[in-house]
Amino acid sequence: MNAPAYNFAYLDEQTKRMIRRAILKAIAIPGYQVPFASREMPMPYGWGTGGVQVTAAILGPQDVLKVIDQGSDDTTNAISIRKFFAKTAGVATTTSTEEATVIQTRHRIPEASLHANQVLVYQVPIPEPLRFLEPRETETRRMHALAEYGLMHVKLYEDIARFGHIATAYAYPVKVNARYVMDPSPTPKFDNPKMDNCPALQLFGAGREKRIYAIPPHTKVVSLDFEDHPFEPYRFNAPCALCGAENSYLDEIVTDDKGSRMFVCSDTDYCEGRQAAGHHGALSAAPYKDKAQGKAREKANG
Amino acid sequence: MTTIAELPPGFADKVLSAQSTFRSVMDAMARPGSVQRILPMAGTPETMMRGTAAIALTLFDHDTPLWLDARMAESPGVLKWLKFHSGAPVVQDSSIAAFALISDGAALPPFERFALGTNEYPDRSTTVIIQVESLDRGPGFELRGPGIDGAATLQASIKPVDLFERLRCNETLFPRGIDVVLVADDAVAAIPRTTRVLGKGG
């Protein structure tokens, strides 16, 4: 028996054509969710079936693919999707943000600024920003048609009335090109400003909900807010414990059952790059010293 | 009598050629006014440019009703080639077409005759593919909008000459509208409905 012969990048050509047509319309109407005939993928819903289909439709043999899950290149989801395309498309893969031409992401935008030759593909669980406010698709569709987004402002206002500030911390709604209100997928709102005027093309795929949408490069993306309660990105007030970064998005990691915790960069590539460049944080002392001693030993032996 | 053997061929490598062509069209659509090259080549029936043929093989299939302008519709070679390679149904009613192929820009019908989409489903609109004389020579058009960093200048020799004036209908129609793909031989540029023309240079 021969090994199973998949088409390049797994999807059949008719499916790719259908997805490609949806991508073109999505780019032409920034922020509008284009319905598409999402296929069953060899992974469960919630694992990035939408992003995988978008990636499969755009990926070519010359591309270099990076996949991140919450900023990390090393989690199960990221590794399995990376291996999936290495196997079905034979593309080169990388963990470096700079080298990648296609970056598939689950819920983060890399810290390093993106450039014009890159495409950022988001995995989206629920593409409709109004869904939790209005469950009927017919109604949300009409609200988008009429640009009737008062309900979303009421929701943000209720946050202020209840908590004194806009408490929405992720999937923070944005307005794209002054027209469509869009769900940026559950990225932390820390990442929202990176979507604005981004030099890279941003594509969003929701597999279960069967929607594709896009933000073209250099497009205005504004986080919804109020004059007296302007949008503010949120970040833990600490430097990264491994690389000392003061401006990156941090994960909180509980280190024992006595309440100890450490804050580290969510973007592993960014953090490793900084450590390699000699930056170190409060808790990187031991491995940092080991490395330094190791180098000293090598020098002594050599 | 025509036999299949006389038909110009499709892509030599269907999968990778379609991918490469799509990326050129996607880049063109994402960066309006930028001119992309279509590398993979297929055979072309008469009146169809190399770039148009590649786009047809990449995006058309039985799900995409196709409207052809008179010059293409009257060419049996084009009809046979499209039918054999894409299977896309050719329709007489331009208002239900997913794609329109225009080989003679001077005879471009008014955009209202094409599908403009609805406010609920603005994506259900016709993508109009116009073959033009040149995308590197001719008058300059200053473009602004999503996908453009500041302003972009497209130098093009286009028929109809008032194409960009006609596309002003996109300003009031949005989110409905017409997306245009311009093809000159192997060069492709796109003018999605969000692009605005500011001025016309020399």
Side-chain angles (χ1 to χ4, degrees):
Chain A
M1 256 305 268
N2 291 327
Y6 294 111
N7 188 23
F8 178 81
Y10 185 77
L11 289 176
D12 61 280
E13 287 304 297
Q14 204 275 325
T15 300
K16 283 190 200 165
R17 275 195 297 275
M18 174 269 298
I19 294 173
R20 284 167 181 168
R21 291 193 296 261
I23 290 174
L24 292 182
K25 284 298 174 195
I27 294 171
I29 318 167
Y32 167 74
Q33 304 159 47
V34 181
F36 81 111
S38 174
R39 300 293 195 245
E40 292 249 358
M41 297 302 286
M43 60 188 71
Y45 286 134
W47 283 68
T49 53
V52 163
Q53 289 179 79
V54 170
T55 302
I58 66 173
L59 207 61
Q62 74 289 350
D63 277 314
V64 181
L65 179 69
K66 169 182 166 83
V67 185
I68 51 173
D69 173 5
Q70 303 275 19
S72 169
D73 292 286
D74 314 322
T75 54
T76 313
N77 197 191
I79 292 173
S80 56
I81 292 174
R82 204 159 57 224
K83 281 189 173 167
F84 176 76
F85 284 114
K87 187 172 183 179
T88 58
V91 292
T93 59
T94 182
T95 58
S96 156
T97 303
E98 178 64 24
E99 286 170 19
T101 57
V102 175
I103 304 173
Q104 182 170 330
T105 173
R106 175 175 174 272
H107 314 345
R108 271 314 306 283
I109 301 174
E111 303 290 355
S113 48
L114 302 176
H115 54 79
N117 296 323
Q118 293 178 316
V119 183
L120 188 59
V121 179
Y122 296 72
Q123 302 170 198
V124 183
I126 301 189
E128 178 51 74
L130 304 166
R131 183 60 69 233
F132 289 111
L133 307 170
E134 170 53 67
R136 288 168 295 180
E137 168 68 13
T138 47
E139 288 303 306
T140 53
R141 190 161 283 283
R142 171 151 308 170
M143 288 156 80
H144 282 297
L146 301 175
E148 173 54 70
Y149 295 125
L151 204 53
M152 185 57 90
H153 278 102
V154 171
K155 189 228 171 207
L156 296 177
Y157 169 74
E158 282 182 348
D159 265 8
I160 295 169
R162 210 173 289 166
F163 307 110
H165 63 281
I166 297 177
T168 307
Y170 65 96
Y172 192 103
V174 294
K175 193 170 238 186
V176 182
N177 193 30
R179 177 58 178 80
Y180 280 99
V181 164
M182 191 196 88
D183 183 346
S185 85
T187 52
K189 68 176 170 183
F190 176 87
D191 283 339
N192 274 21
K194 296 182 199 159
M195 307 178 102
D196 180 40
N197 198 30
C198 175
L201 171 64
Q202 302 172 74
L203 300 174
F204 299 75
R208 177 181 43 212
E209 304 290 324
K210 300 176 172 49
R211 295 291 185 274
I212 287 173
Y213 52 105
I215 304 176
H218 303 293
T219 298
K220 202 170 171 202
V221 179
V222 178
S223 303
L224 297 185
D225 61 359
F226 298 97
E227 273 176 24
D228 51 346
H229 285 273
F231 170 81
E232 277 174 16
Y234 179 81
R235 177 180 184 276
F236 288 117
N237 187 19
C240 169
L242 297 180
C243 77
E246 303 267 6
N247 53 4
S248 65
Y249 187 73
L250 299 174
D251 284 337
E252 181 182 21
I253 297 174
V254 175
T255 48
D256 59 24
D257 59 357
K258 310 228 166 34
S260 307
R261 58 203 61 219
M262 64 191 283
F263 294 100
V264 294
C265 291
S266 134
D267 184 335
T268 51
D269 175 56
Y270 180 75
C271 195
E272 282 164 14
R274 277 179 56 85
Q275 290 177 62
H279 298 275
H280 52 101
L283 293 178
S284 62
Y288 173 72
K289 272 182 193 153
D290 279 355
K291 239 180 219 170
Q293 281 165 359
K295 270 187 194 146
R297 264 200 301 275
E298 271 168 34
K299 264 186 195 162
N301 295 341
Chain B
M1 200 181 134
T2 311
T3 61
I4 296 296
E6 289 172 32
L7 270 180
F11 286 135
D13 183 336
K14 278 186 185 181
V15 176
L16 299 184
S17 298
Q19 188 275 334
S20 155
T21 306
F22 169 70
R23 279 293 275 272
S24 301
V25 177
M26 183 179 86
D27 286 343
M29 194 64 90
R31 294 178 166 77
S34 73
V35 178
Q36 310 288 333
R37 296 280 153 192
I38 290 179
L39 301 176
M41 286 305 153
T44 50
E46 72 270 37
T47 76
M48 200 184 266
M49 290 175 176
R50 299 190 291 171
T52 319
I55 293 173
L57 294 169
T58 301
L59 294 176
F60 299 176
D61 59 27
H62 53 82
D63 283 339
T64 56
L66 203 60
W67 186 86
L68 305 177
D69 73 349
R71 193 155 77 183
M72 283 212 182
E74 281 159 17
S75 154
V78 167
L79 291 173
K80 282 204 185 89
W81 187 86
L82 281 171
K83 187 175 182 189
F84 180 79
H85 287 295
S86 76
V90 174
V91 295
Q92 302 300 316
D93 179 3
S94 55
S95 70
I96 58 165
F99 291 95
L101 284 183
I102 312 292
S103 62
D104 178 13
L108 177 71
F111 283 129
E112 304 85 74
R113 299 236 190 113
F114 296 108
L116 299 170
T118 63
N119 282 320
E120 279 80 11
Y121 292 96
D123 56 306
R124 296 180 183 172
S125 58
T126 309
T127 304
V128 180
I129 301 169
I130 306 175
Q131 298 191 154
V132 300
E133 197 185 307
S134 165
L135 288 174
D136 52 21
R137 279 172 287 108
F141 299 92
E142 194 188 340
L143 309 177
R144 281 175 194 269
I148 301 170
D149 187 10
T153 306
L154 175 67
Q155 289 225 308
S157 164
I158 299 175
K159 272 181 188 163
V161 285
D162 62 344
L163 176 72
F164 285 104
E165 277 90 84
R166 292 209 213 174
L167 280 170
R168 281 188 195 280
C169 68
N170 277 337
E171 289 175 32
T172 45
L173 283 172
F174 196 82
R176 301 160 72 215
I178 288 285
D179 307 311
V180 172
V181 175
L182 303 172
V183 181
D185 194 23
D186 67 339
V188 59
I191 314 293
R193 66 192 71 181
T194 49
T195 302
R196 302 287 170 257
V197 183
L198 282 201
K200 205 167 159 182

